[in-house]
Amino acid sequence: MIEFFVRRPVTTIMFVLVFVVLGVFSYSNILVEKTPKVDFPIVTISVIYPGATPLEVETLVIKKIEDSVAEISEIKKIKSQSFESLGFVSIEFLMSANVNVKLIEVKDKVEAILNDLPKDIKKPLIAKYDPLIEPVMDLVLSSDVLDSRELYEYADKVLKTKLSQVRGVAKIDVHGGKKRQINVRLDPMLMKQHYISINEVIQAMLLQNKNIPAGNLEKGFNSLSVRFTGEFESFDEIANMTITSTEGSSFPLKDIAVVEDSYKKIESIARYDGKEVVGLSINKASDGNVVAISKEIKRRLNEFRGILPKGMSLDIATDSAGFIINETFDTEVNIFIGIILVVVILSLFTGKFKLAFIASIIIPTSIISTLFPMWMSGFTINFLTLIAIATVLGTLIANAIVIIENVLVHLEHKEDSVLAAIDGTKEVAIPIIATTGTNLVVFMPIAMIGGIAGLFMKSFGLTVVYATIFSLLASFSLTPMLCALVLKKRKGNNETGRIKHKFYAPFDWMVAQTNRMMEFLKKEYKYIFDLTFRYPKTTIFTITIVFLAIFLIFPYIESDFVPSSDENKIIINIVMPQGSTIERTLEAVKVIEKHLDSIPEKKSYLTSVGKNGVENAKITFDLMPYAQRKRNDAAIIKSLIPLLSTIPDAEISLERGGRMAAGYSDVSIDIYGVDYDTMIELSKNVRETMLKTGYFQSVVSSYKVPKNEIRLTPYQDKLKEYGLPASLAGSVLRASIYGDDSNIYKEKGEEYKINVELNDEYAQTFDDIKEISLLSRKGLIPISELGELRTSKATPTIWHRDRKRTIRLEAALGKSSVGHVQKILDNKFKGIKFPQGYGYRYVELSEYQEETTAEIGKAFLLAIILTYMLLCALTNSMIAYPITVMTTVATSFIGVFLGLFFTGLTINAGSMLCMVMLVGVVVNNAILLLEATMLKMKEGIACKEALWFGASKEFRVIIMTSVAIILGVLPQLWAVMDAKRSMGVVMIGGMIASIVFTFILVPVVFWYLERLEKRFFRR
């Protein structure tokens, strides 16, 4: 095969170009994303129950849904939260489950119990859930002359529709502003005078506000339709509609109520740089692309602005695609720099520009060809696939270096470059297959990692596999063909040669210095080699002690799941006490905004108040680009904490915008048990203990101090006496305070709610509630006649885990890492007495981290076993060769842990992934050394002398390939994302250790094991 490709260069070029062309075509079709495209096995159910307390949501809605869906198979865990007027259930399935099938099963289960749920709930919303999803961008609509009702009307009715037409957009969430609504505010005093209650008003409106088809009149060949048209056709018609009391008197609605074309009670507020606006959050579909949507909206932004009414302005407040584009570009630049560094180092080591030319062809063709199977596999260009290409750069050229070096040796003895290329490639075929094979058997287990982590690691592992396969193809086709074409035996000096010599003199000087350094290192290594064989046991013992000693610093290396990074954004979450009004939350927000205005690194900020309850607010604080700032985002957060801690009654948490798992806190703890009151006390003790450690900037509990509520407990005998059902009393109470919006007003094809309620001034105090009237068979009576009205504490937000109540503590770290802090917390929590049946558990990211560590651990073990088996198969040896090679895996971790320790980076999912990757990379040096050794041993040379021959012969190649791998990932050390930096440190530290211990430990170990194998296992 090698001879075929070498002797047919055009065929070889076309063979390679097939994959290159397919790769170029694939590049234009591959989507660019922040993270791999993942279909999480999670289904969520959202239920709105207007006006209901968390306890009512829990008992009447959530428990019934949980009991229903619990019968579905392959459930991993069920979580739920019961808020005021809202319930939320999250079902996570096993990885083996088909989430699309499970979505249908969940819908069937929920629909089967709809009749058992309260009639006032809105239809449950059931959908797949992606915890990594975030709005593509936030647009803000503002005006200095128009009011916020007009802004909301235009955003909701016109702009929302226009933006939804952009390809890939799933939905547009409009928040802030004032939603148009017809308000009917009843005066209870006037109602009593006219002998009518709120229920009669609502029913009268419902009976009149209808269009009813009456059928058709047919005469001969003609048909005439008949309709009753009672729907309100104008605002005045609503105010002037006739109400008839049970006494028979009639009067217009405006006699007992203030009827106004106004807006719905404000439940959310949007602000941009301190100014009230209407926000539009653009969310992508599951098959949508963030970058494509962002580019399309920006392209059409002037078009959208052109149709705005006079006085309105439309701006981009946040854009998540910006960081993705910049980070992708930076990684691609780093890859390009890595290629250049590899080519330069190859030129310096060999002193031939022709070799640099070959390398500059091999690397890009392998990378571009890799894009084709990536596209076929449905992968995207994201930080993991890009880092996979970056880390494999050195490996791509390593095979070419081995071949080129050997071809050069053959070229010294042969005039024909074609024969030199063929023979030189064939001679190193086994080492190349071995080194490539070790890479493949390592990365296949990575691609098969289970759990949530496996969804991400699959694209990383297979991308490296694809690149390695194309590298192997190039090694036996393109590389020897280029060697035959480009490399020629040097002829005698002539005039042209002298001119070239003068031109390349500076480069030749650098090459000479490199050669001198390599000869010096080889000479010094000879002393070390002899010393190790003079004291072989001492050498092994010393290195073993160094290896074991490295574990002494292991506890000081911190760990987490996925480290956050500086993405030019800070998220500020504010939680006010239960019972706070939106006005109170807004006042706290304004104080925070004032502090943000004083931050010199400020670019802009977008505030959302009331998105998940009026007590909650969120500020997205955008910073200037990292290169233009003197402080990173962590330093800015640190400076904000003292300022924000002065805001009374507010629970404030700050998090870096560059979190791979947005929506999750650094540390999440569930307190579980039997009695809820006991759990409350335990959660307070745990929270206090966490704050005292000094590691957390905030610890927020899901349990809130209950707000006061007024309860009406009906007397059954009174209900019977007045002939009233309990539900009627409840509906009158609800309509009087919360309002009833069952009526609709239609205008110009749009529908607007008509809300009927008591005027606010008559629904403020305990006494006002007592005077709410309803009509009975004995006439109008105050609602207080029907039962006991009393003030009590309302149950706050309720959390469930696997259908049992829990209290969640969400903590944001101020320093250190998750793994280190959890160890400290475990020791501190021993001082808290948990009764039997009560306890705590780390959840969310901690669970994923534990699962990921276990899965990567299994992949690491499998990689070691498969690598050992491959080495045994290739060398027909079970002890000397494979065990010696595997010692380089263990010793490489000396460099890994030292690198992480001195750089202060963590052991995380990314760095653990590279540790598995090292198994297939660090063994290559030992393979090269031992292959050369065994060739000499077959010629009858003694083991020690053969080892020196192998080490000295492959000294330059080993150094060159290792340095190439190091330089390929070196640019990642300056990446913004800590995950990339930690992966780079692991690769560089492991490769440096591999260089050192391949030359020091491998010869001695092989010398011992070879004698052992010869004595006991060979006849």
Side-chain angles (χ1 to χ4, degrees):
M1 182 182 73
I2 296 171
E3 186 171 349
F4 173 82
F5 284 120
V6 171
R7 296 190 182 279
R8 299 176 66 92
V10 175
T11 303
T12 305
I13 292 171
M14 292 302 110
F15 172 73
V16 173
L17 280 180
V18 167
F19 297 106
V20 172
V21 170
L22 290 173
V24 171
F25 172 79
S26 301
Y27 182 75
S28 62
N29 292 291
I30 296 179
L31 301 178
V32 178
E33 297 278 7
K34 182 178 180 180
T35 57
K37 191 175 180 181
V38 170
D39 207 5
F40 286 89
I42 303 174
V43 175
T44 59
I45 307 165
S46 302
V47 185
I48 297 175
Y49 186 7
T53 65
L55 184 61
E56 291 169 334
V57 172
E58 179 198 35
T59 55
L60 300 177
V61 180
I62 296 300
K63 279 189 175 180
K64 292 179 180 179
I65 292 176
E66 286 179 336
D67 291 341
S68 174
V69 300
E71 300 171 0
I72 299 173
S73 62
E74 297 183 285
I75 288 179
K76 185 177 181 181
K77 59 188 173 190
I78 302 176
K79 301 181 292 182
S80 69
Q81 294 94 43
S82 301
F83 304 99
E84 190 166 338
S85 303
L86 173 68
F88 182 81
V89 180
S90 173
I91 309 156
E92 183 177 334
F93 295 93
L94 299 174
M95 294 304 302
S96 57
N98 184 325
V99 69
N100 295 310
V101 173
K102 294 304 173 184
L103 177 65
I104 296 171
E105 291 183 21
V106 171
K107 286 182 177 179
D108 292 341
K109 290 292 183 181
V110 174
E111 287 175 2
I113 62 163
L114 282 179
N115 292 332
D116 298 331
L117 301 177
K119 293 182 180 179
D120 293 330
I121 70 164
K122 295 186 179 180
K123 187 177 180 180
L125 180 64
I126 305 169
K128 293 188 292 184
Y129 176 66
D130 183 353
L132 300 181
I133 202 165
E134 58 182 347
V136 175
M137 63 168 51
D138 287 290
L139 302 180
V140 291
L141 194 64
S142 60
S143 175
D144 293 326
V145 294
L146 302 174
D147 65 23
S148 54
R149 197 184 84 162
E150 291 174 287
L151 287 175
Y152 185 92
E153 184 78 3
Y154 185 81
D156 189 49
K157 306 300 182 186
V158 180
L159 196 54
K160 180 179 177 180
T161 304
K162 293 284 185 183
L163 291 168
S164 298
Q165 294 170 359
V166 175
R167 184 178 180 182
V169 172
K171 65 172 183 174
I172 311 290
D173 293 327
V174 181
H175 52 97
K178 297 172 181 175
K179 187 175 183 179
R180 186 185 178 190
Q181 180 175 274
I182 309 300
N183 290 326
V184 179
R185 304 186 188 281
L186 296 166
D187 186 320
M189 301 305 173
L190 295 174
M191 289 169 68
K192 285 180 182 178
Q193 291 177 21
H194 290 82
Y195 212 72
I196 197 167
S197 73
I198 191 171
N199 240 26
E200 280 68 53
V201 175
I202 294 167
Q203 289 302 315
M205 294 180 73
L206 283 171
L207 291 172
Q208 181 172 328
N209 187 27
K210 283 185 178 180
N211 285 349
I212 303 174
N216 296 315
L217 294 178
E218 296 181 355
K219 187 176 181 180
F221 292 104
N222 298 316
S223 176
L224 185 66
S225 61
V226 181
R227 293 174 61 82
F228 169 79
T229 55
E231 286 185 353
F232 301 126
E233 294 185 352
S234 69
F235 169 73
D236 291 335
E237 192 176 329
I238 301 172
N240 294 317
M241 73 165 285
T242 301
I243 304 288
T244 303
S245 70
T246 53
E247 288 186 328
S249 62
S250 298
F251 50 89
L253 177 61
K254 64 183 180 181
D255 283 0
I256 61 170
V258 175
V259 183
E260 52 190 10
D261 188 350
S262 185
Y263 53 86
K264 187 179 180 180
K265 184 179 179 181
I266 296 175
E267 295 178 343
S268 70
I269 298 171
R271 293 166 62 85
Y272 183 59
D273 286 345
K275 178 183 176 181
E276 286 205 15
V277 296
V278 173
L280 298 100
S281 294
I282 300 169
N283 299 281
K284 76 179 187 73
S286 58
D287 58 346
N289 177 248
V290 173
V291 175
I293 293 170
S294 175
K295 286 182 177 179
E296 179 64 13
I297 290 175
K298 286 178 180 177
R299 186 183 69 82
R300 298 180 59 184
L301 191 59
N302 287 332
E303 174 193 332
F304 297 140
R305 285 171 173 164
I307 61 173
L308 294 176
K310 189 175 180 181
M312 284 189 192
S313 62
L314 182 66
D315 298 292
I316 297 174
T318 66
D319 180 12
S320 60
F323 179 81
I324 298 173
I325 293 170
N326 292 335
E327 186 61 20
T328 301
F329 176 76
D330 288 346
T331 306
E332 289 174 346
V333 168
N334 287 342
I335 291 172
F336 181 70
I337 292 171
I339 293 173
I340 292 174
L341 291 175
V342 170
V343 170
V344 168
I345 200 68
L346 184 59
S347 302
L348 290 176
F349 271 88
T350 61
K352 292 181 173 61
F353 275 119
K354 292 179 179 180
L355 299 190
F357 168 75
I358 294 174
S360 63
I361 297 294
I362 298 297
I363 300 177
T365 53
S366 298
I367 292 175
I368 295 171
S369 300
T370 302
L371 296 173
F372 174 59
M374 281 177 61
W375 175 60
M376 292 294 290
S377 301
F379 298 161
T380 61
I381 294 176
N382 54 72
F383 99 95
L384 270 177
T385 50
L386 285 175
I387 201 71
I389 292 172
T391 51
V392 82
L393 278 181
T395 308
L396 292 180
I397 197 60
N399 291 340
I401 291 173
V402 174
I403 291 173
I404 291 168
E405 278 289 312
N406 210 48
V407 169
L408 287 174
V409 171
H410 279 263
L411 200 58
E412 293 296 323
H413 303 91
K414 294 183 175 73
E415 289 290 333
D416 190 357
S417 60
V418 172
L419 289 176
I422 294 170
D423 295 341
T425 305
K426 286 181 177 179
E427 193 173 279
V428 292
I430 295 299
I432 287 174
I433 292 172
T435 54
T436 306
T438 55
N439 287 340
L440 292 176
V441 298
V442 164
F443 290 114
M444 287 306 292
I446 290 177
M448 296 186 292
I449 289 175
I452 293 291
L455 298 176
F456 293 91
M457 305 311 180
K458 180 180 179 181
S459 61
F460 179 92
L462 287 182
T463 298
V464 176
V465 168
Y466 297 150
T468 305
I469 289 172
F470 281 112
S471 169
L472 184 63
L473 285 175
S475 297
F476 294 130
S477 58
L478 187 61
T479 303
M481 185 275 291
L482 288 174
C483 288
L485 286 180
V486 175
L487 300 180
K488 303 295 180 182
K489 192 168 184 178
R490 182 171 292 183
K491 304 294 182 179
N493 288 335
N494 52 31
E495 188 64 27
T496 305
R498 284 193 290 273
I499 294 172
K500 286 184 177 180
H501 178 72
K502 290 180 180 179
F503 180 77
Y504 290 121
F507 174 73
D508 290 339
W509 180 84
M510 288 188 288
V511 171
Q513 296 303 312
T514 304
N515 290 334
R516 191 174 292 115
M517 181 184 68
M518 292 303 298
E519 289 301 320
F520 171 77
L521 289 176
K522 188 188 291 189
K523 182 180 178 182
E524 294 299 315
Y525 172 59
K526 175 61 176 172
Y527 294 123
I528 296 172
F529 182 87
D530 292 337
L531 188 65
T532 57
F533 276 93
R534 191 178 307 161
Y535 307 104
K537 294 180 180 178
T538 305
T539 300
I540 295 174
F541 177 77
T542 303
I543 293 175
T544 303
I545 294 299
V546 171
F547 175 74
L548 295 175
I550 206 69
F551 288 95
L552 295 176
I553 67 168
F554 188 76
Y556 299 98
I557 301 173
E558 299 179 350
S559 65
D560 52 20
F561 181 45
V562 179
S564 55
S565 55
D566 191 334
E567 290 190 8
N568 309 323
K569 182 167 61 177
I570 296 172
I571 306 298
I572 305 171
N573 295 298
I574 306 104
V575 181
M576 300 302 291
Q578 291 284 299
S580 297
T581 61
I582 196 168
E583 289 78 15
R584 184 182 181 185
T585 308
L586 180 59
E587 286 304 310
V589 162
K590 287 181 177 178
V591 175
I592 297 172
E593 288 178 344
K594 189 176 180 181
H595 289 308
L596 297 182
D597 286 328
S598 66
I599 301 296
E601 294 87 355
K602 183 199 84 169
K603 180 183 177 184
S604 64
Y605 54 83
L606 177 66
T607 304
S608 175
V609 182
K611 250 191 172 182
N612 296 309
V614 295
E615 302 96 347
N616 302 306
K618 175 184 175 182
I619 301 176
T620 303
F621 184 32
D622 281 328
L623 305 171
M624 293 189 302
Y626 183 76
Q628 299 176 22
R629 288 186 269 124
K630 293 182 179 179
R631 298 185 295 176
N632 63 12
D633 58 350
I636 296 171
I637 288 174
K638 191 175 181 180
S639 70
L640 280 170
I641 291 173
L643 300 174
L644 303 187
S645 62
T646 60
I647 300 174
D649 300 326
E651 283 187 336
I652 301 174
S653 61
L654 298 92
E655 62 183 48
R656 306 175 76 183
R659 294 180 60 85
M660 291 301 297
Y664 292 113
S665 297
D666 294 317
V667 177
S668 300
I669 297 176
D670 273 355
I671 308 298
Y672 61 87
V674 181
D675 179 65
Y676 197 60
D677 290 333
T678 305
M679 290 162 57
I680 292 170
E681 291 304 314
L682 288 171
S683 70
K684 290 178 179 177
N685 292 337
V686 170
R687 181 176 183 273
E688 186 178 347
T689 302
M690 293 173 72
L691 289 171
K692 284 181 178 178
T693 62
Y695 285 100
F696 299 99
Q697 51 162 301
S698 64
V699 181
V700 179
S701 174
S702 65
Y703 174 79
K704 310 296 180 186
V705 176
K707 67 178 182 180
N708 292 326
E709 70 174 5
I710 298 172
R711 292 184 182 178
L712 172 64
T713 306
Y715 301 135
Q716 295 301 319
D717 55 337
K718 289 288 184 180
L719 291 173
K720 186 176 181 182
E721 179 185 339
Y722 289 107
L724 295 171
S727 60
L728 179 62
S731 64
V732 167
L733 191 63
R734 175 184 172 82
S736 299
I737 300 167
Y738 183 81
D740 180 278
D741 60 2
S742 52
N743 277 283
I744 299 294
Y745 169 58
K746 297 178 181 178
E747 182 180 279
K748 296 178 181 179
E750 301 292 346
E751 293 186 350
Y752 303 97
K753 297 281 188 181
I754 301 174
N755 189 60
V756 182
E757 63 181 350
L758 290 186
N759 203 316
D760 288 343
E761 61 183 282
Y762 297 107
Q764 292 184 346
T765 66
F766 186 84
D767 291 333
D768 290 338
I769 304 301
K770 289 169 66 176
E771 295 303 318
I772 292 173
S773 300
L774 72 164
L775 196 63
S776 72
R777 64 187 177 191
K778 290 187 177 183
L780 273 178
I781 60 169
I783 202 165
S784 56
E785 282 288 315
L786 298 176
E788 180 189 4
L789 276 168
R790 66 179 187 273
T791 303
S792 61
K793 296 290 185 182
T795 305
T797 304
I798 302 168
W799 290 56
H800 283 189
R801 169 72 181 252
D802 294 329
R803 301 158 68 191
K804 294 181 180 179
R805 281 189 178 184
T806 61
I807 295 177
R808 172 70 58 83
L809 297 173
E810 304 274 9
L813 285 173
K815 58 183 179 180
S816 193
S817 66
V818 174
H820 178 67
V821 170
Q822 283 184 182
K823 291 177 184 177
I824 293 173
L825 290 179
D826 286 333
N827 288 328
K828 296 289 184 182
F829 290 162
K830 290 177 182 178
I832 301 174
K833 294 183 179 179
F834 287 91
Q836 188 173 359
Y838 296 81
Y840 71 93
R841 58 173 165 251
Y842 298 105
V843 294
E844 304 298 6
L845 289 184
S846 297
E847 290 178 301
Y848 293 137
Q849 182 178 356
E850 184 179 347
E851 178 186 70
T852 301
T853 303
E855 290 295 333
I856 293 179
K858 287 193 286 186
F860 181 78
L861 182 61
L862 182 59
I864 289 176
I865 293 171
L866 291 177
T867 301
Y868 174 78
M869 292 172 66
L870 177 67
L871 293 172
C872 290
L874 290 173
T875 60
N876 196 34
S877 169
M878 293 186 65
I879 295 181
Y881 190 102
I883 292 179
T884 302
V885 170
M886 296 307 291
T887 59
T888 59
V889 175
T891 52
S892 68
F893 280 87
I894 297 174
V896 169
F897 293 144
L898 284 174
L900 292 173
F901 176 76
F902 285 111
T903 57
L905 295 169
T906 63
I907 296 175
N908 53 68
S911 55
M912 286 191 291
L913 198 60
C914 272
M915 291 178 193
V916 181
M917 185 176 177
L918 274 178
V919 175
V921 177
V922 296
V923 297
N924 294 343
N925 291 338
I927 289 173
L928 289 173
L929 190 153
L930 293 182
E931 278 296 320
T933 299
M934 293 181 74
L935 283 174
K936 284 298 173 181
M937 289 177 65
K938 288 177 181 178
E939 296 175 7
I941 297 176
C943 182
K944 181 179 175 181
E945 286 71 23
L947 281 166
W948 169 245
F949 174 84
S952 60
K953 179 178 181 292
E954 302 296 340
F955 187 83
R956 178 185 288 265
V957 175
I958 290 172
I959 295 292
M960 189 162 39
T961 54
S962 299
V963 171
I965 293 171
I966 290 170
L967 292 179
V969 296
L970 188 65
Q972 304 306 323
L973 296 184
W974 289 272
V976 173
M977 298 177 70
D978 281 354
K980 289 184 180 180
R981 292 173 59 211
S982 62
M983 293 172 85
V985 166
V986 167
M987 288 297 297
I988 292 171
M991 287 310 302
I992 291 174
S994 173
I995 296 171
V996 173
F997 293 108
T998 294
F999 288 120
I1000 294 176
L1001 183 64
V1002 166
V1004 176
V1005 171
F1006 182 78
W1007 183 62
Y1008 269 118
L1009 292 179
E1010 200 276 335
R1011 290 192 298 169
L1012 178 70
E1013 189 175 52
K1014 186 181 293 185
R1015 181 176 302 175
F1016 294 103
F1017 297 95
R1018 295 178 188 170
R1019 293 179 180 178

